[in-house]
Amino acid sequence: MFLVLMNWAFYAQDSTAIDFESFPKGPDLKVGLVLSGGGAKGLAHIGVLKEIEAAGIKIDYIGGTSMGAIIGGLYASGYNAHQLDSIFKVVNFDKLIQDNLPRSAQSFNERADAEKYAISLPFDHFKISFPSALSKGQNIYNLFTELTHHVQEVEDFGELPIPFFCVATDAEKGQAIILDKGCLPEAITASGALPSLFSPVIVDGRILIDGGVVNNYPVEELRRRGANFIIGVDVQDDLRGKSELKSAPEMLIQINNYRTIEAMKDKVSETDIYIKPNIAGFSVVDFEKGSEIIEGGEKKAKQYSSDFSKLAQLQNTTYRKPQLTLDKNDTLKIKSVGINGNLYYTRSYILGKLKIKPPVKMTYAALFRGINNLAATNNFQRINHRLEAYDNGEYHLALNLTESEATTFIKAAIHYDDVYKSAALMNITKKRVLFKNDIVSLDLALGDNIRYNFDYYSDNGFYIGFGLRATYNSFERRVDARFVEQLSDLPLESFNSLTVDYTDFTNQVYIQTLFQKQFSLNLGVEHKFLKIDTESVRLEDDPEAKVYFDNSHYFSTYGNLVLDSFDNKYFPTSGWYFNGDFHLYLLSSDYNNDFEEFSVGKARAKYAHKIVPKFSVQIGVEGGFKIGDSEAGSLDFILGGWGNDFVNNIISFYGYDYISSAADGLVKSDISFDYNFYRKHHLNFGGNFANLENDLFTTGNWLSAPDYTGYFVGYGLETLLGPLQTKLSYSPEVDKVYWNFSLGFWF
């Protein structure tokens, strides 16, 4: 308590009377600006800069640490205070901090992983380890690269519109590192790499973290560089009480403040105009309160308007910092790409992820999407990139990569739904098994129904890769007897429903590639063992035996084309989805003695669009057909129930129970509306319509009014375990209400 009181008394004296007559005038007066770190509280710097500009003061040098380095570096690059205000008011800091890369940045395989597992931890050398920080800082670096692309060729920060430096900490030696040359986005990212929140940044072989650890207010360096009048803005914390220490970053800053509070006594005496905005009540992560913090800095700076006016008079100039005008033509001509640091991943793999084949013309937005694609692989701890201009206006893209050391991962999830019931999913994933770009993954789902999924694939982007897949699915379900009648000639008139055991074991060998940057194409061969049986029916000649409706091995070739630009798998608000599949079934062990060569083709297309903020619509169409005279009905289209990722041609349909009807021809359409009424909370409603019958496309009935209709209302919640969803559905044909529930990612 004594330290808190002393600290308050010390900082209450923000500034003393200034003898302006003792300072040189005109060009000999060099005004330096020092900006301290403080996380979100550093946004107060913007408010102070507004008042400095309003007074007509020209800044000659800027030095900063952490958030002070970020604000100072952008200001030094040419932005004025009002532009910075506009920039930071629209930045989504939650996404930046959490490395929340857009879904479009992930490949199809990476996307499937991200939407299946709730936990993923490195497991090298049979030891579980934890990430070094909450965020790798890739989104932060991308943002700074975009904001500073107009000075991308400047390597000496003294040649920026305002000479600039920032401070980082050498984590290995505990020394302050002055960053005044090199890559500006890299420098300010390193200066703000708060331990536990952001991963360290490697610069010239040194492990750099937040400069506030050793020097959060580098006023002495400004003096050394020639500033003879210094304005300082201090947003450092005072010592906090126990009620305020609620997060790891807050605790780390409290520990660091023990030293910085004492050091500030000398630093304040080196500052001519010392400004300490009122940042009490704000934390280092209160970015959503940015407007209040900026306003607080502006309000505090207004108290120094008289001193600012006198300082401007000493400069003998009426200075107005111009608004930075950026080139609206952001098309880049990338002539070449240089890659450094890729020990394990090939150049073709990296360029495939970037979606760059030099020479190429592309926008900055396309370039950043490519960088995100590379980051989404989780194969790289750090991706630093910069553009180096040729004399003819073309660019060389320089990539400095830091590959992730972890190659083995343990992943886990839990899930419940009405078909597979409860399950706990355990996964082990190993990268770089046989080749630099390959991955092997094994899922084991333990619960009411055992399932597993084995994958081995090489991911070569635009270049052809290959893979092996083996899946085992099983569930037990009470189904309508009319469905079973289509699979057997058994007399089932006395049954309304039967309990059926459904087992599918599928093995695939395939090649895959990307084309047109968005489509994934797979071609392969498949073996499928399909078993459908029941114990609800007993045969007279063997009453103890199960009755099998299918118990066959099927052999086929197939092709699969997928487009998925949805922004969210479970609650999409924009994008397209298309999945087209064609199987040619060539051979079968033919348990039912009714097999003839046949083909099954199907396609599904969906479109999502945000109508107004928080309210979106999703429209879908789906169809499928069988070609051939085979009477094998196990692979027909089966309607009923609700859910994701069902096996074979089982298709969800609101208003009907699971596995209600089957036929070899299907046309279906659906529409649903989603209202994101509160953060992560969703209300949704809609309907679906279908025609389902044998030889549907031959008879022409696919164009008639739908025979199957159903409607639903539902609720969804995005949780750390995956979505919690519940649906109430009704069909006028069935005249019965069904309730469906699921929790967790689908697998």
Side-chain angles (χ1 to χ4, degrees), residues 107-127:
S107 72
F108 291 94
N109 292 316
E110 293 154 0
R111 193 178 301 166
D113 279 1
E115 296 165 343
K116 185 189 299 185
Y117 309 110
I119 299 173
S120 180
L121 296 172
F123 188 64
D124 285 304
H125 309 295
F126 299 97
K127 293 182 180 179

Side-chain angles (χ1 to χ4, degrees), residues 103-104 108 111 115 518 562-567 576-578:
R103 188 170 183 264
S104 58
F108 291 94
R111 193 178 301 166
E115 296 165 343
Q518 296 186 11
V562 179
L563 164 70
D564 185 358
S565 65
F566 276 172
D567 59 343
W576 288 89
Y577 177 85
F578 175 83

Side-chain angles (χ1 to χ4, degrees), residues 497-517:
S497 63
L498 301 172
T499 298
V500 170
D501 290 321
Y502 191 106
T503 300
D504 177 278
F505 176 50
T506 300
N507 304 282
Q508 296 176 331
V509 180
Y510 60 89
I511 58 174
Q512 63 178 5
T513 186
L514 297 177
F515 69 97
Q516 296 296 316
K517 300 184 179 181

